[in-house]
Structure formats: C-alpha cells, structure tokens
Amino acid sequence: ALTLASAPPLNARVRAVVAHAAAPFAGYNSPPSPHAVPLLKHDAREDWVVPPYAAASMTPGQLGPLNGTVGEGGWLYTRSVEVTAAWASAFDSAAEQGGGAADLRPAGSGV
C-alpha cells in the first residue's frame, strides 16, 4: 500500500493509507508524489518480521545496510521514523506550493 500510494497513477486516486505492520524495503522509502496522502501507521513493539526500529531488529540495537532494520527472514526494512518523516515531507512540499491537508477536504464540505 505504501508503494502504490506514493507514486502515479494511483497517487492521485488514494485519499489515505493505513499501514499495519508494514514498511518499504530499505532504499525504497519515497514520499507520496505528486499528491500528499495522509498516513496512519501502526507498528508492533516486538515485530521481528517487519521490525519498525533497531531494537526490534534481528541484529538488536544495530541497523543493517542502508540503515535498514533486519527482519526475521533477512529482509531489510526502512525504519518507521524514516517512513513517517518522508510522508510528512510531502505535506511540507504541498504547503509550500499553496496546498496541503486542506486539499483533502471534500469540495463544498465547509470543513
């Protein structure tokens, strides 16, 4: 979901993403573009399959190549803090261009 919502052509159609125990592979953390998309991310504290931070990595307290956490199967994942920072940067860029979260409101909603 993170990868599909971050790039065209689906980026313009997705209104929000909820990621439950998910992270892009290390080296593939891209902010959504050209449209900022809200992200709600849930991570488990002790997830060894898709570890959200270094302490949960299979190499406890250490990051693997590309600053990735090492999952149980040996896959490298982007740390959760880096994922949320990348997605937040998309809103910073949209705000600088006169857009941002306000653009996500339904037309005529008055909200």
Side-chain angles (χ1 to χ4, degrees), residues 58-104:
M58 294 308 291
T59 55
Q62 298 178 343
L63 296 173
L66 301 173
N67 276 340
T69 58
V70 182
E72 190 174 56
W75 294 97
L76 297 172
Y77 296 96
T78 303
R79 293 180 303 148
S80 192
V81 67
E82 292 175 6
V83 174
T84 53
W87 284 61
S89 74
F91 280 96
D92 292 341
S93 296
E96 290 171 5
Q97 297 170 9
D103 294 339
L104 300 171

Side-chain angles (χ1 to χ4, degrees), residues 8-108:
L10 289 180
N11 173 261
R13 299 182 71 180
V14 174
R15 300 300 277 178
V17 172
V18 177
H20 180 71
F25 290 125
Y28 290 92
N29 185 29
S30 301
S33 177
H35 304 286
V37 177
L39 170 68
L40 175 62
K41 190 163 179 353
H42 296 267
D43 292 311
R45 279 185 17 179
E46 297 181 5
D47 183 353
W48 295 283
V49 178
V50 182
Y53 50 90
S57 183
M58 294 308 291
T59 55
Q62 298 178 343
L63 296 173
L66 301 173
N67 276 340
T69 58
V70 182
E72 190 174 56
W75 294 97
L76 297 172
Y77 296 96
T78 303
R79 293 180 303 148
S80 192
V81 67
E82 292 175 6
V83 174
T84 53
W87 284 61
S89 74
F91 280 96
D92 292 341
S93 296
E96 290 171 5
Q97 297 170 9
D103 294 339
L104 300 171
R105 299 177 190 151

